[in-house]
Amino acid sequence: MFADAATPSLPWVLLLAGLVTVGAIPLGVHLGFRAPRLGINGSPAALGLDYAAVRIPTVRGRTLSGWLLPAPGARRSVILLHGWGSNAELMLPLALPLHRAGCNLLLFNARNHGSSDGDTFSSLPRFAEDLGQAITWLRAQHPEATAHISVLGHSVGAGAALLEATRNPQVRAVIAIGTFADPDELTERSLARLHLPRLVVNLTKRYVQWIIGHRFADIAPINTICRVACPVLLVHGSHDRTVPITDARRIAAAANGAPVRLYEVPDADHDSVHLVEAHAEVLVRFLDETHRASCGGSDNGAGPDSRPEQPRTDAQPWVA
């Protein structure tokens, strides 16, 4: 029995299905992985903090919106970077204790977030690019406040802080809150709920790496942690349902002698910034130690007798 000439043969059907699948991957990636943009509804004024709204030039001709919170006489600054789909406003709970500790603060929105300019896509490397530009801007505009620059990042912002610290000697300390170990694994977890064929998952990951211009392995915090020379404090919620606590423990274990600590916040989930705020004294103590150690025991007139115990340089968990 002969096949009807109008009925496509099986190889052509499979080829067509393959082309449709391959063509659907870019669309799925750009729609499914697009960062949601949350509007800015408040400001540091709600916390009683003085601030200046700033615009920071970044790559590709875009500009970033942000807030500069000066601490009179302070020569150290902390730059705060939010996570995926978040914004600077959601990092404000951590601003108050850090500002009270005598730090100038710069909070900014990455591209495609808050009131910053849009761009074709967001990625961990682009978060890091924006962070690097924010550091450059702060040093140029306020050199008196940048004798010591620390970065506090959340989630993707934390991964970006670690990546930027591998190549930017101006980063003297990193606080990484809720960072994931490997974007390859994170992508796997994100796609698992769709029950896609293995081939489609692999093609999707390859396409994402091609788009962002970086191999996952090169930007994975579990790998970049080994190349970070400055002290790092990993902070992770014990009940994080987005990024399991085991990710943070693996990053700490992979530090291979680098000055890394892990602080586990009991009962905190991935976005439990208020619970992290309740443990702000841990963040402040870490920043004080790293600042004074880098300044040879002197901090705005403090003498060598005020030098605290040197930061721990092991990678063992420092659990609350």
Side-chain angles (χ1 to χ4, degrees):
M1 192 171 183
F2 296 98
D4 190 313
T7 302
S9 61
L10 181 59
W12 283 105
V13 170
L14 294 176
L15 177 60
L16 180 60
L19 291 174
V20 170
T21 299
V22 171
I25 287 174
L27 180 62
V29 166
H30 287 280
L31 291 179
F33 289 92
R34 177 183 297 171
R37 186 188 286 266
L38 297 178
I40 302 290
N41 298 312
S43 75
L47 300 177
L49 297 173
D50 293 331
Y51 73 98
V54 299
R55 299 293 297 186
I56 302 169
T58 189
V59 299
R60 293 170 54 82
R62 269 63 173 188
T63 61
L64 311 173
S65 64
W67 296 315
L68 181 65
L69 286 63
R75 300 182 64 244
R76 58 174 172 163
S77 296
V78 181
I79 299 177
L80 285 76
L81 179 54
H82 59 79
W84 190 267
S86 184
N87 60 36
E89 182 180 5
L90 297 183
M91 301 295 288
L92 279 175
L94 295 175
L96 191 59
L98 297 181
H99 192 265
R100 285 174 175 168
C103 299
N104 301 290
L105 303 180
L106 175 61
L107 296 83
F108 74 92
N109 300 288
R111 276 170 286 173
N112 297 320
H113 292 75
S115 50
S116 289
D117 287 350
D119 209 336
T120 50
F121 62 86
S122 298
S123 66
L124 188 155
R126 285 195 170 181
F127 268 63
E129 284 178 343
D130 290 342
L131 174 58
Q133 293 300 312
I135 293 171
T136 298
W137 177 87
L138 186 61
R139 295 186 69 229
Q141 298 297 319
H142 301 277
E144 74 288 350
T146 57
H148 186 279
I149 296 176
S150 303
V151 177
L152 184 154
H154 175 249
S155 194
V156 171
L162 293 173
L163 177 60
E164 184 62 20
T166 66
R167 62 198 184 193
N168 192 334
Q170 299 303 324
V171 179
R172 301 294 185 85
V174 173
I175 299 176
I177 303 175
T179 189
F180 49 84
D182 189 342
D184 186 281
E185 297 172 359
L186 185 67
T187 305
E188 287 272 357
R189 291 197 293 263
S190 299
L191 296 175
R193 65 181 183 273
L194 300 178
H195 306 289
L196 299 171
R198 185 75 248 167
L199 176 62
V200 174
V201 172
N202 290 339
L203 288 174
T204 299
K205 292 193 296 183
R206 286 180 177 272
Y207 178 75
V208 171
Q209 292 175 91
W210 177 74
I211 282 291
I212 68 176
H214 295 267
R215 295 173 59 247
F216 284 154
D218 295 334
I219 62 175
I222 198 168
N223 295 328
T224 58
I225 194 67
C226 305
R227 308 197 303 270
V228 177
C230 68
V232 174
L233 175 61
L234 301 171
V235 180
H236 214 100
S238 64
H239 286 55
D240 193 326
R241 291 169 293 180
T242 302
V243 179
I245 185 66
T246 51
D247 275 34
R249 293 170 180 166
R250 288 167 55 209
I251 295 171
N256 194 28
V260 175
R261 309 174 185 183
L262 170 60
Y263 186 82
E264 300 182 11
V265 181
D267 303 321
D269 202 346
H270 190 65
D271 296 317
S272 300
V273 177
H274 63 291
L275 290 180
V276 175
E277 180 192 8
H279 296 258
E281 75 281 355
V282 175
L283 313 186
V284 170
R285 186 166 74 247
F286 170 77
L287 293 174
D288 285 347
E289 290 176 356
T290 55
H291 179 216
R292 289 171 181 162
S294 71
C295 295
S298 175
D299 181 9
N300 292 333
D305 291 341
S306 64
R307 182 184 301 183
E309 179 183 354
Q310 290 294 313
R312 287 172 47 181
T313 57
D314 58 89
Q316 298 303 312
W318 188 32
V319 184

